mmCIF file of all heavy atoms in Angstrom:
data_model
loop_
_atom_site.group_PDB
_atom_site.id
_atom_site.type_symbol
_atom_site.label_atom_id
_atom_site.label_comp_id
_atom_site.label_asym_id
_atom_site.label_seq_id
_atom_site.Cartn_x
_atom_site.Cartn_y
_atom_site.Cartn_z
ATOM 1 N N SER A 317 -10.210 -17.182 -5.545
ATOM 2 C CA SER A 317 -11.415 -17.078 -4.702
ATOM 3 C C SER A 317 -11.204 -17.720 -3.343
ATOM 4 O O SER A 317 -10.494 -18.709 -3.208
ATOM 5 C CB SER A 317 -12.601 -17.754 -5.394
ATOM 6 O OG SER A 317 -12.993 -16.999 -6.517
ATOM 7 N N HIS A 318 -11.826 -17.111 -2.352
ATOM 8 C CA HIS A 318 -11.889 -17.683 -1.006
ATOM 9 C C HIS A 318 -13.183 -17.187 -0.373
ATOM 10 O O HIS A 318 -13.757 -16.197 -0.820
ATOM 11 C CB HIS A 318 -10.682 -17.253 -0.158
ATOM 12 C CG HIS A 318 -10.513 -15.766 -0.021
ATOM 13 N ND1 HIS A 318 -11.366 -14.995 0.728
ATOM 14 C CD2 HIS A 318 -9.620 -14.914 -0.576
ATOM 15 C CE1 HIS A 318 -10.986 -13.730 0.655
ATOM 16 N NE2 HIS A 318 -9.949 -13.649 -0.126
ATOM 17 N N PRO A 319 -13.705 -17.873 0.646
ATOM 18 C CA PRO A 319 -14.946 -17.404 1.268
ATOM 19 C C PRO A 319 -14.784 -15.992 1.805
ATOM 20 O O PRO A 319 -13.718 -15.626 2.257
ATOM 21 C CB PRO A 319 -15.159 -18.405 2.420
ATOM 22 C CG PRO A 319 -14.353 -19.599 2.065
ATOM 23 C CD PRO A 319 -13.191 -19.097 1.269
ATOM 24 N N GLU A 320 -15.837 -15.213 1.685
ATOM 25 C CA GLU A 320 -15.804 -13.831 2.179
ATOM 26 C C GLU A 320 -15.425 -13.807 3.654
ATOM 27 O O GLU A 320 -16.073 -14.407 4.483
ATOM 28 C CB GLU A 320 -17.182 -13.170 1.999
ATOM 29 C CG GLU A 320 -17.267 -11.751 2.534
ATOM 30 C CD GLU A 320 -16.443 -10.788 1.698
ATOM 31 O OE1 GLU A 320 -16.739 -10.619 0.525
ATOM 32 O OE2 GLU A 320 -15.519 -10.206 2.275
ATOM 33 N N MET A 321 -14.330 -13.123 3.947
ATOM 34 C CA MET A 321 -13.873 -13.065 5.334
ATOM 35 C C MET A 321 -14.864 -12.275 6.178
ATOM 36 O O MET A 321 -15.410 -11.267 5.746
ATOM 37 C CB MET A 321 -12.503 -12.401 5.398
ATOM 38 C CG MET A 321 -11.412 -13.264 4.813
ATOM 39 S SD MET A 321 -9.842 -12.392 4.673
ATOM 40 C CE MET A 321 -10.180 -11.229 3.376
ATOM 41 N N GLY A 322 -15.048 -12.714 7.397
ATOM 42 C CA GLY A 322 -15.968 -12.021 8.289
ATOM 43 C C GLY A 322 -17.337 -12.660 8.288
ATOM 44 O O GLY A 322 -18.086 -12.541 9.242
ATOM 45 N N LEU A 323 -17.685 -13.353 7.187
ATOM 46 C CA LEU A 323 -18.983 -14.039 7.125
ATOM 47 C C LEU A 323 -18.868 -15.481 7.608
ATOM 48 O O LEU A 323 -19.861 -16.158 7.780
ATOM 49 C CB LEU A 323 -19.514 -14.031 5.680
ATOM 50 C CG LEU A 323 -19.774 -12.655 5.081
ATOM 51 C CD1 LEU A 323 -20.292 -12.811 3.665
ATOM 52 C CD2 LEU A 323 -20.789 -11.887 5.918
ATOM 53 N N VAL A 324 -17.623 -15.927 7.754
ATOM 54 C CA VAL A 324 -17.399 -17.308 8.166
ATOM 55 C C VAL A 324 -16.920 -17.341 9.606
ATOM 56 O O VAL A 324 -16.082 -16.556 10.002
ATOM 57 C CB VAL A 324 -16.321 -17.969 7.257
ATOM 58 C CG1 VAL A 324 -16.061 -19.391 7.688
ATOM 59 C CG2 VAL A 324 -16.756 -17.917 5.803
ATOM 60 N N THR A 325 -17.486 -18.228 10.402
ATOM 61 C CA THR A 325 -17.035 -18.372 11.773
ATOM 62 C C THR A 325 -15.769 -19.216 11.786
ATOM 63 O O THR A 325 -15.760 -20.351 11.330
ATOM 64 C CB THR A 325 -18.109 -19.070 12.633
ATOM 65 O OG1 THR A 325 -19.312 -18.318 12.510
ATOM 66 C CG2 THR A 325 -17.682 -19.138 14.089
ATOM 67 N N VAL A 326 -14.695 -18.607 12.301
ATOM 68 C CA VAL A 326 -13.413 -19.286 12.305
ATOM 69 C C VAL A 326 -13.029 -19.612 13.732
ATOM 70 O O VAL A 326 -13.095 -18.764 14.603
ATOM 71 C CB VAL A 326 -12.323 -18.391 11.680
ATOM 72 C CG1 VAL A 326 -11.005 -19.120 11.622
ATOM 73 C CG2 VAL A 326 -12.757 -17.933 10.304
ATOM 74 N N PRO A 327 -12.603 -20.852 14.014
ATOM 75 C CA PRO A 327 -12.161 -21.187 15.367
ATOM 76 C C PRO A 327 -10.949 -20.352 15.730
ATOM 77 O O PRO A 327 -10.035 -20.216 14.929
ATOM 78 C CB PRO A 327 -11.777 -22.673 15.276
ATOM 79 C CG PRO A 327 -12.188 -23.140 13.923
ATOM 80 C CD PRO A 327 -12.462 -21.946 13.076
ATOM 81 N N THR A 328 -10.955 -19.766 16.913
ATOM 82 C CA THR A 328 -9.844 -18.935 17.324
ATOM 83 C C THR A 328 -8.879 -19.735 18.185
ATOM 84 O O THR A 328 -9.275 -20.618 18.925
ATOM 85 C CB THR A 328 -10.337 -17.716 18.130
ATOM 86 O OG1 THR A 328 -11.129 -18.202 19.234
ATOM 87 C CG2 THR A 328 -11.183 -16.808 17.285
ATOM 88 N N THR A 329 -7.611 -19.407 18.062
ATOM 89 C CA THR A 329 -6.582 -20.051 18.875
ATOM 90 C C THR A 329 -5.876 -18.993 19.690
ATOM 91 O O THR A 329 -5.720 -17.861 19.233
ATOM 92 C CB THR A 329 -5.553 -20.765 17.972
ATOM 93 O OG1 THR A 329 -5.063 -19.818 17.014
ATOM 94 C CG2 THR A 329 -6.170 -21.934 17.240
ATOM 95 N N PRO A 330 -5.445 -19.331 20.901
ATOM 96 C CA PRO A 330 -4.753 -18.346 21.719
ATOM 97 C C PRO A 330 -3.466 -17.899 21.044
ATOM 98 O O PRO A 330 -2.777 -18.707 20.434
ATOM 99 C CB PRO A 330 -4.432 -19.117 23.026
ATOM 100 C CG PRO A 330 -5.190 -20.404 22.936
ATOM 101 C CD PRO A 330 -5.538 -20.634 21.522
ATOM 102 N N LEU A 331 -3.182 -16.625 21.159
ATOM 103 C CA LEU A 331 -1.994 -16.062 20.513
ATOM 104 C C LEU A 331 -1.090 -15.430 21.551
ATOM 105 O O LEU A 331 -1.558 -14.954 22.583
ATOM 106 C CB LEU A 331 -2.403 -15.002 19.481
ATOM 107 C CG LEU A 331 -3.156 -15.565 18.281
ATOM 108 C CD1 LEU A 331 -3.913 -14.459 17.609
ATOM 109 C CD2 LEU A 331 -2.215 -16.223 17.313
ATOM 110 N N PRO A 332 0.224 -15.401 21.281
ATOM 111 C CA PRO A 332 1.131 -14.744 22.225
ATOM 112 C C PRO A 332 0.791 -13.272 22.362
ATOM 113 O O PRO A 332 0.361 -12.648 21.398
ATOM 114 C CB PRO A 332 2.522 -14.908 21.561
ATOM 115 C CG PRO A 332 2.330 -15.898 20.466
ATOM 116 C CD PRO A 332 0.888 -15.928 20.125
ATOM 117 N N THR A 333 0.979 -12.733 23.547
ATOM 118 C CA THR A 333 0.707 -11.316 23.766
ATOM 119 C C THR A 333 1.761 -10.486 23.071
ATOM 120 O O THR A 333 2.938 -10.754 23.205
ATOM 121 C CB THR A 333 0.750 -10.986 25.263
ATOM 122 O OG1 THR A 333 0.296 -12.119 25.968
ATOM 123 C CG2 THR A 333 -0.106 -9.827 25.608
ATOM 124 N N THR A 334 1.327 -9.494 22.330
ATOM 125 C CA THR A 334 2.281 -8.618 21.655
ATOM 126 C C THR A 334 1.999 -7.181 22.061
ATOM 127 O O THR A 334 0.885 -6.849 22.449
ATOM 128 C CB THR A 334 2.157 -8.730 20.130
ATOM 129 O OG1 THR A 334 0.796 -8.528 19.757
ATOM 130 C CG2 THR A 334 2.602 -10.086 19.638
ATOM 131 N N PRO A 335 3.000 -6.295 21.965
ATOM 132 C CA PRO A 335 2.781 -4.903 22.354
ATOM 133 C C PRO A 335 1.721 -4.265 21.474
ATOM 134 O O PRO A 335 1.573 -4.618 20.312
ATOM 135 C CB PRO A 335 4.153 -4.245 22.101
ATOM 136 C CG PRO A 335 5.108 -5.363 21.890
ATOM 137 C CD PRO A 335 4.325 -6.562 21.461
ATOM 138 N N THR A 336 0.989 -3.321 22.027
ATOM 139 C CA THR A 336 -0.049 -2.633 21.275
ATOM 140 C C THR A 336 0.614 -1.734 20.242
ATOM 141 O O THR A 336 1.495 -0.957 20.569
ATOM 142 C CB THR A 336 -0.906 -1.770 22.212
ATOM 143 O OG1 THR A 336 -1.420 -2.632 23.213
ATOM 144 C CG2 THR A 336 -2.040 -1.114 21.470
ATOM 145 N N THR A 337 0.181 -1.850 18.985
ATOM 146 C CA THR A 337 0.705 -0.988 17.933
ATOM 147 C C THR A 337 -0.473 -0.271 17.296
ATOM 148 O O THR A 337 -1.622 -0.682 17.454
ATOM 149 C CB THR A 337 1.449 -1.806 16.870
ATOM 150 O OG1 THR A 337 0.605 -2.885 16.447
ATOM 151 C CG2 THR A 337 2.730 -2.370 17.403
ATOM 152 N N PRO A 338 -0.211 0.842 16.561
ATOM 153 C CA PRO A 338 -1.311 1.614 15.983
ATOM 154 C C PRO A 338 -2.198 0.766 15.088
ATOM 155 O O PRO A 338 -1.724 -0.162 14.429
ATOM 156 C CB PRO A 338 -0.585 2.690 15.166
ATOM 157 C CG PRO A 338 0.778 2.760 15.753
ATOM 158 C CD PRO A 338 1.088 1.393 16.263
#
Side-chain angles (χ1 to χ4, degrees):
S317 290
H318 57 71
E320 178 69 63
M321 290 172 290
L323 298 180
V324 179
T325 305
V326 183
T328 55
T329 53
L331 293 160
T333 327
T334 53
T336 304
T337 51

